[in-house]
Amino acid sequence: MDAVKKPFRLISHDRRVQYGVGVESVAEVICKTRTLFNLGVDENIVVVLEEDGTRVTEDGFLLLLENHTKLMILRNNTQWTQQPVKFNERKRTIMAADEIGGYCISLFHPKLPILAFAGYLKEVLLFKAESFGTPFSNWIESNRFGLHSQIPKQVSTLEWNANGTQLAAGCADGTIVVWNYPNGDVLFKIKHCSGLEIMVWNPFRPDLLASLDINYTNVLIWSTSGEANNLFCTIDGRQHITVIKWVANNQVAVGFSSGLIEICEIIESLPVRTYRVSQKFRQEGEITDLAWNERLQLLAGASNRCEQIWSKNSVFPVHSVQFASSCNTLGWLPAVRIGGGTSFARNAIENRTLVCGLSNGLTVVWNPLENDIAKRQTMLRENSYDCPIHALSFSSDGRFLASINDISRIVIWSTKTWLPVFSCLLNAVEGDENRPLMSWMYSDPSVVATYKLAGNTYHSGNEIQLLEGAIPNPTD
């Protein structure tokens, strides 16, 4: 390979042949392509990114790509196609001394091939693998973090902090336990209410955890930094709280059943920490979900038949849309390229793409900056589309969207085509009060893409149910 020049991988359209080259211009890519692939001077050659089909026509763009980016060679009007991922369903029964069963939660670590599992047990179990591509059947149990209870507890929520150094479990009886990872030391344990509904780690400050009690009246901010008093701050809701979302290291967005959204700013003045409401927004109907876009500094709110996008600097919405049904859940399309490890954000239009799950079973892709009105909304339908959508989750590389409905049917959609690529039904109890949720394993962009998606289930024993996806070998 050429010294000093930037290294790339040239890949044939069928992905069966590839070469390593060093180049410094698009013209040089095409020249070396003709030599390596034995193409004549009369053959038309187009260079695209293998990951998503983006055309590479300018030297400046080429040289900004990461080393060893894969460049696909298209010849004679052939079209780029996304590399397929084949998903398969996997189940694994967890044998434990307290084989009672109940609501089972599976949660992947944010950066490592580690899965935390909690059911109706005295412990939270951790499974790990040597690599992301290891089949889940070969993952081994690595840790057991005790709930320090004489009887099994039903864990109702399980959350890793942003850097994966702490794991928090919230129990149905109102107990919170936080462990250090990997050694399993208990950082704190407290029972502060009769039940626990929501816990959210601060993504900007990994030692702060917000919780909402089962009465939906107060947001409690907990510190795991070793302070004498773990209660960092209390936000008094004064009315029924429905959702909380961190929007800065010291700011929490709080949504209410009245349609009010408040940005609460924590004031860290010792000895007593307080807060102030720095901004208020108003939507029609109960706030059902909030989604923060850190790159754009925009907050999206879902409510009755309405979705609005807000800036913290204005009381007026930046964008607004009405739907034919209530919006239950929403999420921003991740601003990353699909696979390959490139660091470029999507264009401005894609950066403002939101996906909304509706009560009528539809999933809507909303693009407020799209000039073509017909393309501004895309309806995603599946056979069981009359059941309300309860949760949405993007894979870490943004290639796939998973939706789950009221009967715990998971559908995986391609974010390139917005077509379904897989669906299955989780083992769940109809009418179960626990909200069905999902967790994607982190996808390492430096290796061949592999995907794992775990879903929360309800089982008579203790069972992990997940979907495994991998790129088939092109020689198969």
Side-chain angles (χ1 to χ4, degrees), residues 176-433:
I176 295 177
V177 185
V178 179
W179 299 273
N180 174 275
Y181 180 80
N183 57 32
D185 293 338
V186 175
L187 299 178
F188 83 89
K189 175 185 176 183
I190 191 167
K191 186 179 186 303
H192 71 93
C193 63
S194 60
L196 189 66
E197 186 67 19
I198 297 174
M199 294 191 311
V200 184
W201 283 102
N202 187 333
F204 314 99
R205 190 168 167 179
D207 63 341
L208 291 184
L209 175 71
S211 69
L212 176 63
D213 64 37
I214 202 167
N215 297 317
Y216 303 97
T217 53
N218 295 302
V219 178
L220 305 179
I221 312 295
W222 307 93
S223 171
T224 62
S225 60
E227 299 183 23
N229 183 6
N230 292 114
L231 185 58
F232 190 80
C233 181
T234 299
I235 297 174
D236 180 8
R238 304 176 302 282
Q239 54 180 299
H240 189 268
I241 299 172
T242 54
V243 61
I244 53 178
K245 180 69 65 175
W246 289 96
V247 297
N249 66 341
N250 65 337
Q251 291 183 336
V252 182
V254 181
F256 297 89
S257 59
S258 64
L260 176 68
I261 302 173
E262 292 184 343
I263 306 296
C264 299
E265 182 177 334
I266 300 171
I267 302 172
E268 298 189 42
S269 56
L270 296 175
V272 179
R273 297 183 181 91
T274 59
Y275 75 96
R276 70 180 185 93
V277 177
S278 60
Q279 187 60 278
K280 292 184 180 182
F281 310 122
R282 176 73 67 174
Q283 294 191 194
E284 179 185 350
E286 176 180 312
I287 303 300
T288 54
D289 201 6
L290 296 170
W292 175 247
N293 189 313
E294 174 64 14
R295 184 176 183 274
L296 299 177
Q297 292 290 295
L298 294 175
L299 178 69
S303 60
N304 182 30
R305 301 178 184 270
C306 176
E307 181 178 322
Q308 292 179 299
I309 299 176
W310 305 89
S311 166
K312 289 190 286 186
N313 300 320
S314 174
V315 297
F316 300 103
V318 179
H319 302 288
S320 183
V321 66
Q322 294 286 329
F323 296 122
S325 181
S326 296
C327 183
N328 294 331
T329 181
L330 53 85
W332 293 94
L333 180 67
V336 295
R337 284 199 180 278
I338 298 170
T342 56
S343 59
F344 295 96
R346 295 180 186 270
N347 62 43
I349 292 178
E350 290 178 307
N351 280 338
R352 296 206 182 194
T353 297
L354 271 165
V355 181
C356 322
L358 306 184
S359 291
N360 64 3
L362 295 179
T363 301
V364 181
V365 182
W366 177 42
N367 205 325
L369 294 185
E370 176 60 60
N371 292 325
D372 187 343
I373 296 178
K375 296 180 180 179
R376 197 166 294 170
Q377 291 186 31
T378 302
M379 303 292 181
L380 309 185
R381 290 180 172 87
E382 202 267 339
N383 291 335
S384 54
Y385 72 89
D386 56 333
C387 296
I389 302 298
H390 273 307
L392 301 168
S393 181
F394 286 96
S395 60
S396 63
D397 62 2
R399 181 171 181 175
F400 296 108
L401 166 71
S403 63
I404 189 167
N405 66 12
D406 197 39
I407 61 172
S408 293
R409 175 170 290 280
I410 287 181
V411 181
I412 298 178
W413 308 84
S414 164
T415 59
K416 184 69 177 179
T417 63
W418 295 116
L419 295 175
V421 297
F422 188 86
S423 70
C424 74
L425 192 65
L426 287 181
N427 190 344
V429 175
E430 188 173 354
D432 178 40
E433 293 181 356

Side-chain angles (χ1 to χ4, degrees), residues 43-54:
E43 292 198 63
N44 182 46
I45 295 175
V46 175
V47 182
V48 302
L49 295 183
E50 185 272 343
E51 57 189 1
D52 65 1
T54 300

